Each structure stands twice: as structure tokens, then as C-alpha cells.
Amino acid sequence: MSVYGKTRSALQQHHLAPKKKFGQNFLVHRHTAEAIVRAGEIGPDDVIVEVGVGLAALTLPLAQTARRVVGIEIDSGIIRFHQQEHDLPDNVILLHRDILKTDFDELEQQCGGRLKIIANLPYSISNPFIFKLIENRRHVEKATIMLQKEVADRLLAAPGSKDYGIPSVLLQHCARVRKMLTLSPAEFHPQPKIDSVVIQIAFHLQQDRSDVLSPEEMELFTKIVRAAFSQRRKTILNTLSSANFFPALPDRNDVKKLTEDVIITAGLSPQVRPETLPIKAFEDLSRSFHRFLTGTA
Ligand SMILES: C[S@@+](CC[C@H](N)C(=O)[O-])C[C@H]1O[C@@H](n2cnc3c(N)ncnc32)[C@H](O)[C@@H]1O
């Protein structure tokens, strides 16, 4: 029986229907699942966290490639299905959890090292999941994730493109992001309306970089990026002045003048549009703001 036939009959036998609220679009071609596992660049000693096990289309080739798989699944119907079928190999541990509520520190201890994640995730949670990865990056080595094409395009976007924005800068600041595969709706049951893209996110090890931002600068970095893209058409001077990084100054003109000095000290033109700035420019802005705010400029 084809994987597609197996998926349908497994669902029918267990009175399971693909649940929209959990974004259940199951992979139906083994060769595609194997291609995603290859995109994960997994070694035989690796412990892999798989998010969203579903009917195990990815779990089985993963278990053949890695030493151990820690599978996370939110749907109790799917958990019951695997318990009744005993279809998962011995090197797979299944955890009934919501990944958005999962403690990554605990998961890292369970896996014995920084996490290597594979996920074919519901599109509805892709943004919160990406932000959770960024927040928990000290616990994560790499993540190979299937996403809605539009979301992947934003994460991969370069300065100057229409897709370049908050997620592109926040992620590319701390990781190398690569496009690995594009998949058509025909790869899934039920079929989504849009193409999917598999990306690989490899988080930088902080101690490898001499240009790491301090926690205070990092806080400013996030605030600057969010402010800069809140009005894409405005100049960096106007967006950052209206965000007001100097609330202690009563006069708006003083705020604007000081913000201009910060931007020039960072080596940038105050008239530039944020969407054209490379990641390094946002890092330089964070350091410059920090120096002005702490009186060390
Ligand atoms: C797109 S399906 C993929 C299933 C399987 N990995 C595949 O490729 O065929 C997404 C899976 O993630 C599960 N899921 C949805 N939200 C989740 C969450 N917050 N935490 C963990 N699993 C979740 C769904 O129940 C579903 O099994």
C-alpha cells in the first residue's frame, strides 16, 4: 500500500480525521520525508527532537538515521494511535506536549546537548515557534523546519527586498538561515492551498563571535528592529525618534537631535530607509544607543 493509502486507512481505522486546529497536513510520500531528513544533515550519533510527530512519516526515516528521536505531539488522539499500534521503533520517545509550552532547558538535558530539531509544523504556530527558537537559542544548535512559503521567504529575505522585516533581522542576527527544499501541496493529505519550503536554521555559538551584543544591547537591538520596521516608508531618523529611546528628555526636538547623533555615530545616514539596512547596521545602532544611554559615548 502507498504511504498515502496507509495514511488514509490509519486515520479511518482509528476514527481520526485531520484536525484543522492542529494544522494536520500529513506527508504522504516516503521519498519526500527522506529528503527532509537529509536536509537536516543528521549524523548516526545525533539525538533529534521532532516537533509534531503526526502519523510518523518523518519519525520513521529519522529513527533510521539518528541514534534517538524525542517526538513531541500535542494531539492526544495521535498519541493514543501510536500507543495502540506500537508502530514506533525503540529509539523513539513520544512526549505528549505543546511545543510552545515546552521548557527547552529541560529538553536539552533530556537530549544530552544543544537541540537539533526537525519540524513539519502547523502554519498557525510557525511565527510563535520561530520566536521561541530565537529566545531559546542558547539551547538550540539547529532547526530544520517546514514552513508556509511566505513565512520562509520573510526569514530568508535580504536587505532591500519587500520581504525583509522584523523576522528576517531578528533571526539572521543570531543564525545562518538556508533554503533546503520547496514542496508542492501534492505532498500532503489533506492538501494545503500553498507551497511549503524547508529551511535550515543554524544558530551561532555566542562564544565564537567577537561582535556579540551584551544583554542590554540585545534588548535595544530588538526594540530598534521592531521600531524601525513599524513604518517602513519613513527614514531611520523619523522612526527611531518617534519610538523615543530618550524618554527622560522633555523636548521632542532634543530627542530627535540626540537620535540623529546616535545614528551618525553608528556610521549611518539618518535619511536611510530601515528596509535597506543590513543586520550589522542594526547591531551598530544598538551599540551606539547603548553608549549614549549609559553616558559612555
Ligand atoms: C503538519 S502536521 C505534520 C505531521 C508529520 N510530522 C508529517 O510530516 O506528516 C503537524 C503535526 O504537529 C502537531 N502539532 C500541532 N500543534 C502542535 C504543538 N503546539 N505542539 C506539538 N505538536 C503540535 C499536529 O497535531 C500534527 O501532528
Side-chain angles (χ1 to χ4, degrees), residues 5-289:
K6 268 198 205 157
T7 303
R8 291 186 67 112
S9 76
L11 288 168
Q12 275 162 9
Q13 271 173 25
H14 289 262
H15 308 290
L16 291 169
K19 295 190 185 88
K20 230 179 171 171
K21 73 166 174 171
F22 292 142
Q24 291 177 348
N25 300 93
F26 300 110
L27 276 169
V28 290
H29 296 127
R30 173 174 281 275
H31 59 91
T32 310
E34 286 167 352
I36 297 169
V37 171
R38 275 196 302 279
E41 299 174 331
I42 292 161
D45 292 331
D46 284 340
V47 177
I48 302 295
V49 174
E50 189 201 353
V51 183
V53 169
L55 300 176
L58 280 172
T59 324
L60 299 179
L62 270 176
Q64 284 170 356
T65 313
R67 180 159 62 87
R68 198 150 54 90
V69 179
V70 177
I72 295 184
E73 174 56 57
I74 197 170
D75 184 355
S76 49
I78 296 236
I79 298 281
R80 241 186 343 268
F81 164 84
H82 292 300
Q83 285 166 346
Q84 287 167 4
E85 288 289 304
H86 300 288
D87 62 333
L88 298 178
D90 289 345
N91 63 340
V92 177
I93 300 167
L94 190 57
L95 302 178
H96 185 198
R97 303 256 175 92
D98 176 347
I99 191 61
L100 297 180
K101 295 185 184 151
T102 300
D103 179 342
F104 275 35
D105 192 5
E106 211 177 273
L107 207 52
E108 183 181 3
Q109 285 174 32
Q110 192 163 6
C111 294
R114 283 172 79 218
L115 304 175
K116 295 177 181 173
I117 297 174
I118 294 239
N120 169 11
L121 272 188
Y123 299 142
S124 57
I125 69 161
S126 46
N127 274 331
F129 180 66
I130 296 290
F131 285 115
K132 175 145 191 175
L133 286 180
I134 294 174
E135 254 171 51
N136 283 276
R137 61 187 178 278
R138 66 186 179 286
H139 301 301
V140 184
E141 183 176 324
K142 63 180 177 179
T144 307
I145 309 175
M146 186 180 318
L147 297 164
Q148 186 176 346
K149 183 176 175 303
E150 283 78 354
V151 177
D153 286 346
R154 286 204 284 277
L155 297 175
L156 291 157
S161 86
K162 70 169 178 21
D163 291 322
Y164 190 61
I166 298 168
S168 340
V169 181
L170 293 185
L171 184 62
Q172 291 175 32
H173 159 71
C174 57
R176 180 181 64 152
V177 192
R178 283 186 294 159
K179 182 178 189 167
M180 308 303 277
L181 293 169
T182 302
L183 302 179
S184 77
E187 298 292 342
F188 304 92
H189 170 75
Q191 293 194 8
K193 291 195 176 64
I194 34 174
D195 278 349
S196 303
V197 166
V198 177
I199 62 167
Q200 195 195 82
I201 303 170
F203 286 98
H204 305 311
L205 255 185
Q206 299 230 326
Q207 51 268 44
D208 282 355
R209 304 184 67 202
S210 54
D211 56 346
V212 169
L213 300 177
S214 68
E216 296 78 22
E217 289 165 344
M218 193 56 223
E219 211 173 293
L220 283 164
F221 178 83
T222 309
K223 199 172 157 193
I224 292 165
V225 174
R226 290 192 184 281
F229 288 98
S230 62
Q231 291 154 306
R232 295 178 74 95
R233 301 275 145 223
K234 284 195 173 179
T235 64
I236 190 82
L237 175 59
N238 284 339
T239 50
L240 295 185
S241 309
S242 16
N244 193 359
F245 284 76
F246 302 104
L249 291 180
D251 186 333
R252 289 194 68 81
N253 289 327
D254 290 344
V255 170
K256 192 159 183 178
K257 179 71 195 79
L258 204 50
T259 306
E260 186 170 26
D261 291 346
V262 169
I263 296 169
I264 291 169
T265 309
L268 302 169
S269 158
Q271 298 313 316
V272 78
R273 289 238 297 272
E275 62 195 13
T276 63
L277 291 177
I279 313 284
K280 184 175 176 308
F282 290 101
E283 294 168 352
D284 291 343
L285 275 172
S286 315
R287 289 192 194 92
S288 187
F289 263 114

